[in-house]
Amino acid sequence: MLNHNTLSALSLLVLMLISVLPGARADTPFEAGLNIRIEAVTASAARQGEVSRIRFRIVNDSGTAFHVIGIDTPVAPMTKLIADVGKAEKTVFDSIGVPAGETLDLTTSHLWYETGALTRDLQSGETFDMTLRFVGGEFTVPVHVHDSPSGK
């Protein structure tokens, strides 16, 4: 289990990366350039006022670290990166790095982004845009809304 200092140190290992990137179809991996892909971007269905989990995978096949500093959506005023660090313990991180040649999988791991209170319902089958902010720029990717089997 990684502690806060270890995760902070990992975050500091980040170098400059990519800038403005083109869009992609919602049902295909987003090619961010420099051999970085954003895959399986989903959000959990939820009602207005509730929170939704946003999950995705970053595949960094480049020779440079990729450092995510946040996401923005039109469906909630804020988001936060959550880490499940124990049976009933969670913590919030400001950012997270993906070392060169590695994958950060927020689709099945103990990490996910969580919205604040939704400004509208999110229904299974719809899509919305998410802006991924990273060191050196930002880009927008489509997010698919799905029912969550666990209700989260």
Side-chain angles (χ1 to χ4, degrees):
M1 179 170 15
L2 298 174
N3 63 33
H4 180 68
N5 290 336
T6 303
L7 286 171
S8 294
L10 178 63
S11 296
L12 294 176
L13 297 176
V14 178
L15 303 171
M16 240 1 237
L17 203 50
I18 55 181
S19 59
V20 180
L21 304 166
R25 286 185 28 208
D27 58 348
T28 61
F30 183 84
E31 293 289 338
L34 298 178
N35 295 317
I36 295 173
R37 293 186 320 275
I38 311 302
E39 301 177 341
V41 187
T42 64
S44 57
R47 308 245 310 126
Q48 181 177 354
E50 296 178 344
V51 299
S52 174
R53 286 188 181 189
I54 299 175
R55 294 183 171 273
F56 52 93
R57 181 181 310 111
I58 300 172
V59 180
N60 184 358
D61 288 331
S62 76
T64 308
F66 184 81
H67 193 84
V68 178
I69 55 177
I71 64 171
D72 297 310
T73 75
V75 299
M78 55 83 63
T79 60
K80 54 189 174 184
L81 178 60
I82 305 288
D84 189 354
V85 294
K87 287 187 178 187
E89 192 175 340
K90 294 180 178 41
T91 192
V92 176
F93 294 109
D94 293 328
S95 62
I96 193 162
V98 186
E102 296 198 16
T103 298
L104 174 63
D105 192 348
L106 291 107
T107 63
T108 60
S109 74
H110 62 286
L111 297 167
W112 66 89
Y113 272 93
E114 187 171 280
T115 68
L118 293 170
T119 57
R120 65 175 181 82
D121 290 353
L122 290 181
Q123 298 180 358
S124 183
E126 74 172 288
T127 62
F128 63 89
D129 286 338
M130 169 183 85
T131 301
L132 184 71
R133 291 181 285 114
F134 57 93
V135 173
E138 63 183 36
F139 53 85
T140 301
V141 297
V143 179
H144 287 270
V145 178
H146 295 279
D147 289 327
S148 174
S150 65
K152 294 181 181 180

